[in-house]
Amino acid sequence: MDFDLAEPHWEELRDYQEQNRFDLREQFAADPQRAVRFTYTAGDLIVDLSKHLIDEGVLTRLVALGEACSLEQRIAAMFRGDPINTTENRAVLHVALRAQPGDTFKVDGVDVVADVRSVLTAMRSFSDRVRQGDWLGHTGNRIRTVVNIGIGGSDLGPAMAYEALRHYRSPDIDVRFVSNVDPAHLVAQLAGADPEATLFVIASKTFTTLETMTNARAAKSWLLDRLGGDESAIAKHFVAVSTNATAVADFGIDPANMFGFWDWVGGRYSFDSAIGLPLMIAIGADAFEDMLDGFRTIDRHFRSTPLERNVPALLGLLGVWYRNIVGHPTYAVLPYSQDLHRFPAYLQQLDMESNGKRVRLDGSAVPGDTGPIVWGEAGTNGQHAFYQLLHQGTSVVPADLIGFLEANDDLGEQHDLLMANLFAQSEALAFGKTAAEVGAAGVSPELIPHRTFPGNRPTSVILAPKLTPSVLGQLVALYEHKVFVQGAIWGINSFDQWGVELGKVLASQIIEELGAEQPDLSHDSSTNALIERYKAHKRRL
Ligand code: G6Q
């Protein structure tokens, strides 16, 4: 079924929303079983959807919409390796990255599992050598610092996971991430690094990305300047993660030190491929395999669970409910876990680059809204920043609150304080505080409107036992598949990203103009003036 808001399934949802009151106070009062009824499990994840503005009627209609959009057939097509990335004619098979020997995933009729496992074996052998001190730098030193140079999908995933799995990292090796073409990033990340003990991982699927190649060249100069200029040092201090062996060799990296992946892995879906190499060096190959098992647990759930209990599908459908029917343009992800502080940034790319699209698969304009604006911050920091708006602002922001039953760090009762805040926020957002309650608490009448909380602000609460490699894999797969579901409902291609091209093309033209003596500027008057101002300042330096 096309994404057509005039289609009966959409109409039914809209009518149902208009005809019913979704008042969480009333609904919880009327149904003592509501929390049980709307709590679901997937792997180790417990997902409480009861504080959403839904009832059985909403979910039934959302599931019917999913069925009408052939959601289950689309899931099957992805797992089958069909070229569902139609604008690039590619399969979308990140689920094959977590395959075990014996699994089968085919692209163009060829099983790719052996290739996936063989890259994992090479990564294991390399990361073991680095971790054990068997891989030595040019001057015989063991590696103490690993610097990953990559951007977008070649940075956000491993950087997020490196933070998330802090507790599982080797204390002997420090991993740093450089992405921005701003020289400040590379310089700051190299501060204090010993060149004799530093290994660079150049992570770029294409090995042509401006930011990454610029930083990689600067890193090469940094190293050679400090190691006497002997080019043979590169083989000991640079490895690559790429699909482009020729460009890797041209850069001077021995192709034997290149870890490959494939065009059926999208950048933002790639951190469980060789793009995860810096993470594997940090946490070890066994923990990395545990993470892959976590991904696989949710893949199996997503592939085989009926939509009514399929957690990624339900989260995706709920997002459609808020975006298209209730009309909320943003949603927040609020991990109650400092180690997950980069998770919102990671999800921003996963969701917004996938579903920030305005045409359908056939090129026609979408008739309604697609991907929401995703944002967030680790709790409790967000509480002291933007939660004011969540509680009392004029915009309603559906939110996912993520927490863990057990801490990785034992500081007595401190984890209780964190979790108390998570539970309290979800309660306060859902039920608020009425003017009568505020008045009854003795607040003076003129302050009552200021201290009233409207409530009815929806949240999911996602609980997991502990932030382990497996649980991280489960969380990421949950969101990968949620994003897939929304793209399928909207009938868009979630797997291309043409929207990032135009700026890149213009930037490459402007780079030449910034370097030229008297460029013939033919932009608009604003852009011309900005370029001229910059060049005039540069001339005075
Ligand atoms: C992700 C995008 C994008 C990509 C970067 C880096 O899905 O494709 O973020 O990952 O542009 O690309 P390279 O890995 O080719 O350098």
Side-chain angles (χ1 to χ4, degrees):
M1 186 195 71
D2 277 342
F3 174 30
D4 181 352
L5 293 174
E7 204 274 342
H9 286 89
W10 289 100
E11 295 259 23
E12 262 206 51
L13 275 162
R14 219 185 339 253
D15 291 347
Y16 193 76
Q17 198 254 342
E18 277 165 13
Q19 288 156 13
N20 289 280
R21 273 170 60 80
F22 297 95
D23 183 281
L24 289 173
R25 282 187 180 234
E26 286 173 13
Q27 287 184 329
F28 273 88
D31 178 9
Q33 291 301 307
R34 183 173 169 88
V36 176
R37 196 184 305 285
F38 292 110
T39 296
Y40 303 84
T41 54
D44 294 323
L45 309 178
I46 299 157
V47 182
D48 179 355
L49 303 181
S50 65
K51 294 197 189 83
H52 277 290
L53 308 183
I54 55 168
D55 60 12
E56 307 272 10
V58 172
L59 286 188
T60 306
R61 284 165 179 77
L62 284 172
V63 166
L65 174 68
E67 282 163 355
C69 294
S70 310
L71 184 53
E72 283 164 318
Q73 290 85 331
R74 283 173 188 257
I75 295 170
M78 173 172 71
F79 279 89
R80 207 165 45 228
D82 290 4
I84 59 170
N85 176 355
T86 47
T87 59
E88 297 176 307
N89 194 28
R90 287 177 184 165
V92 174
L93 216 48
H94 44 274
V95 290
L97 297 171
R98 33 272 197 168
Q100 286 292 328
D103 291 344
T104 302
F105 287 101
K106 288 187 178 172
V107 177
D108 294 332
V110 179
D111 193 349
V112 296
V113 173
D115 284 352
V116 167
R117 296 302 315 175
S118 108
V119 172
L120 280 167
T121 303
M123 289 166 64
R124 172 182 285 271
S125 145
F126 179 73
S127 60
D128 282 353
R129 288 177 70 193
V130 174
R131 288 165 62 84
Q132 288 158 11
D134 296 337
W135 176 279
L136 300 179
H138 184 58
T139 55
N141 281 34
R142 68 180 288 181
I143 300 300
R144 297 291 180 192
T145 305
V146 173
V147 180
N148 188 77
I149 297 183
I151 195 165
S154 300
D155 166 71
L156 283 160
M160 175 278 291
Y162 179 72
E163 295 295 309
L165 300 177
R166 177 183 53 84
H167 195 75
Y168 300 84
R169 300 189 311 223
S170 160
D172 300 327
I173 300 172
D174 182 26
V175 181
R176 305 175 186 186
F177 292 85
V178 176
S179 51
N180 201 323
V181 77
D182 182 343
H185 204 183
L186 183 69
V187 170
Q189 294 302 78
L190 289 182
D194 173 1
E196 296 181 46
T198 298
L199 174 77
F200 292 95
V201 177
I202 311 301
S204 176
K205 184 173 165 181
T206 54
F207 229 71
T208 56
T209 303
L210 172 91
E211 291 89 338
T212 300
M213 298 325 298
T214 307
N215 278 322
R217 283 189 294 270
K220 190 156 76 170
S221 304
W222 177 88
L223 187 93
L224 291 177
D225 287 352
R226 286 160 180 77
L227 293 186
D230 181 354
E231 297 253 344
S232 69
I234 294 171
K236 293 290 175 196
H237 291 270
F238 281 81
V239 299
V241 179
S242 188
T243 56
N244 187 347
T246 312
V248 167
D250 288 348
F251 182 85
I253 294 177
D254 183 349
N257 296 333
M258 177 182 122
F259 301 85
F261 59 119
W262 306 274
D263 70 0
W264 43 263
V265 184
R268 54 193 174 276
Y269 297 87
S270 70
F271 93 77
D272 47 339
S273 71
I275 289 291
L277 183 65
L279 178 68
M280 190 190 273
I281 294 171
I283 66 172
D286 289 343
F288 195 88
E289 287 282 356
D290 287 347
M291 184 184 78
L292 294 182
D293 273 349
F295 275 98
R296 196 162 171 264
T297 300
I298 300 300
D299 294 344
R300 280 200 303 260
H301 168 96
F302 183 53
R303 192 178 189 177
S304 59
T305 309
L307 296 183
E308 294 77 13
R309 285 179 288 111
N310 188 316
V311 179
L314 290 172
L315 287 179
L317 290 166
L318 264 179
V320 167
W321 167 249
Y322 288 119
R323 188 76 177 105
N324 299 110
I325 308 296
V326 188
H328 298 318
T330 88
Y331 95 88
V333 55
L334 308 168
Y336 277 71
S337 160
Q338 187 57 31
D339 289 339
L340 279 181
H341 72 111
R342 292 293 286 158
F343 199 59
Y346 170 75
L347 279 190
Q348 265 174 343
Q349 185 197 22
L350 182 68
D351 199 321
M352 294 166 77
E353 200 165 57
S354 296
N355 286 341
K357 308 285 162 67
R358 57 201 290 281
V359 295
R360 295 187 284 201
L361 289 167
D362 64 4
S364 61
V366 294
D369 289 314
T370 59
I373 296 158
V374 181
W375 57 287
E377 173 68 73
T380 58
N381 294 6
Q383 291 174 206
H384 294 264
F386 54 77
Y387 276 41
Q388 165 64 39
L389 183 148
L390 299 188
H391 285 286
Q392 289 187 317
T394 51
S395 296
V396 172
V397 182
D400 290 350
L401 277 60
I402 302 170
F404 299 95
L405 301 177
E406 189 183 328
N408 274 313
D409 300 288
D410 181 12
L411 280 187
E413 305 297 289
Q414 204 158 325
H415 189 65
D416 291 354
L417 284 177
L418 175 71
M419 293 304 288
N421 273 280
L422 184 162
F423 300 138
Q425 290 299 328
S426 125
E427 185 179 8
L429 286 162
F431 304 112
K433 200 165 184 186
T434 64
E437 287 166 344
V438 176
V443 170
S444 58
E446 71 279 10
L447 281 183
I448 289 176
H450 299 276
R451 299 189 57 175
T452 298
F453 291 73
N456 236 25
R457 303 201 162 200
T459 56
S460 311
V461 175
I462 301 175
L463 293 179
K466 193 172 175 175
L467 183 51
T468 60
S470 167
V471 162
L472 181 69
Q474 294 178 48
L475 275 173
V476 172
L478 178 75
Y479 282 98
E480 284 179 347
H481 297 324
K482 173 199 164 180
V483 166
F484 175 92
V485 167
Q486 297 191 333
I489 302 288
W490 290 320
I492 57 179
N493 183 356
S494 302
F495 303 104
D496 59 13
Q497 55 281 320
W498 301 105
V500 302
E501 295 298 323
L502 178 59
K504 282 193 204 170
V505 172
L506 291 177
S508 65
Q509 180 188 337
I510 295 174
I511 289 165
E512 294 195 2
E513 292 164 351
L514 294 185
E517 228 10 85
Q518 293 285 335
D520 183 15
L521 297 180
S522 55
H523 306 273
D524 59 279
S525 61
S526 161
T527 310
N528 285 346
L530 292 166
I531 293 171
E532 273 158 8
R533 187 179 293 271
Y534 181 82
K535 286 177 72 75
H537 185 84
K538 208 173 151 186
R539 276 193 290 272
R540 287 197 296 274
L541 289 178

